[in-house]
Amino acid sequence: MTYEESGIVDAIEKLAGGAVGALTQDQLDGVDQFHAGGAEAVDRLLPGLRLGRGMTVLDVGSGLGGPARQIARTTGCDVVGVDITAAYVDAARALTKSAGLAAQVRFLHAPLAGLAPDAAFDAAVTLHVQMNVEDKRRFFADIAERLCPGARLAVLEVCRGEGAEEPPLPLPWSLDGTDSFLSTADDLCRTIRSAGFGVVEWADESAWATRWFADLGRRLSSAGPAPLALPALLADGPTRMLNYAIAVTAGTLTVHRGTFTAAGVMGGT
């Protein structure tokens, strides 16, 4: 299994030399968002969701909870995160309590299919999740079934470049390739549509992701104390992130951002 990290909050505090409650938001942003682009990526997704106070957002594959907390802080929405990795959910809950957001953001250790299909969320997000999902149509259909008709889904996802070879391993979402199921961007967009969504926007963010990786590399190699950064929390993290950055730069992988609307009924194949 790729996601085997444990004792995450303790690891963050050891790296930071202090309690998580004393960390700045910039410090937390460096470690609690398990996707390319960090907090900036979430900022790029938010406008398309059209969120407001009183709405409830579903975060699918919520990881350490950074995006969920960012959405709650920025919009005033309530957020429910679901993730199948127990250690990530435990860390997300602890970090959320420390941030004073436990009344607004909660996390469930459960598969998405474990949520009632009539939950009627007002919006959903998923960032860097479907690469580990083989049956992508079912995955996105499960999201559609939990959204109000007309609700929006925002995604930031990794795709295989058209005609590209498999990227080098290990990667952030896969150590040995056995749990990596990459689609091309066109195939992924078609799959999301077939699962009951209409397309609002589907944009290639690979150039932006390449710049973000370059900036991360400069920050990690600069003189002075090393900044808090996700690679330090992951098993073989620096190699995994470097392989990802190289693959995006070379076009072997692409990063796509999308906004979709839930039709309220399943689409066709």
Side-chain angles (χ1 to χ4, degrees):
M1 181 177 177
T2 297
Y3 306 105
E4 295 181 327
E5 292 80 19
S6 61
I8 293 168
V9 172
D10 288 343
I12 292 173
E13 291 183 333
K14 184 177 180 180
L15 288 168
V20 292
L23 299 180
T24 67
Q25 191 58 56
D26 283 345
Q27 288 176 306
L28 283 172
D29 285 344
V31 291
D32 69 357
Q33 306 229 21
F34 204 153
H35 52 265
E40 184 182 346
V42 179
D43 285 338
R44 296 173 84 88
L45 294 180
L46 284 174
L49 287 174
R50 299 180 178 177
L51 300 176
R53 290 186 180 276
M55 300 175 73
T56 303
V57 180
L58 175 64
D59 182 359
V60 183
S62 49
L64 306 185
R69 288 186 293 275
Q70 184 175 345
I71 291 168
R73 289 193 311 269
T74 303
T75 68
C77 291
D78 293 336
V79 186
V80 176
V82 293
D83 202 287
I84 61 172
T85 303
Y88 288 10
V89 173
D90 290 344
R93 289 170 176 166
L95 291 168
T96 300
K97 182 178 180 180
S98 177
L101 291 170
Q104 195 176 348
V105 185
R106 62 190 179 98
F107 298 93
L108 305 176
H109 176 219
L112 175 60
L115 294 183
D118 59 351
F121 288 94
D122 299 298
V125 296
T126 182
L127 295 92
H128 284 34
V129 174
Q130 56 77 37
M131 306 93 69
N132 290 116
V133 177
E134 187 169 13
D135 188 348
K136 300 183 193 300
R137 186 177 187 276
R138 182 70 260 166
F139 173 75
F140 286 104
D142 281 343
I143 296 176
E145 290 170 1
R146 286 153 182 84
L147 294 178
C148 299
R152 290 196 167 195
L153 165 69
V155 308
L156 184 77
E157 293 295 353
V158 183
C159 302
R160 189 180 73 249
E162 292 285 349
E165 298 179 354
E166 291 296 317
L169 296 168
L171 291 160
W173 62 91
S174 182
L175 294 172
D176 61 8
T178 58
D179 52 355
S180 181
F181 306 99
L182 293 167
S183 294
T184 65
D186 286 348
D187 284 346
L188 180 59
C189 188
R190 280 192 292 267
T191 297
I192 297 173
R193 291 179 61 195
S194 75
F197 288 98
V199 182
V200 176
E201 184 180 20
W202 185 241
D204 189 341
E205 294 279 22
S206 303
W208 163 75
T210 297
R211 292 191 296 271
W212 181 83
F213 277 122
D215 180 63
L216 175 64
R218 284 191 293 269
R219 288 189 285 115
L220 292 178
S221 61
S222 63
L228 282 175
L230 182 64
L233 293 182
L234 304 179
D236 204 10
T239 300
R240 292 161 73 178
M241 292 295 283
L242 180 61
N243 284 344
Y244 182 16
I246 291 171
V248 173
T249 301
T252 305
L253 295 175
T254 66
V255 177
H256 275 69
R257 172 178 55 83
T259 306
F260 301 84
T261 54
V265 295
M266 287 295 296
T269 58

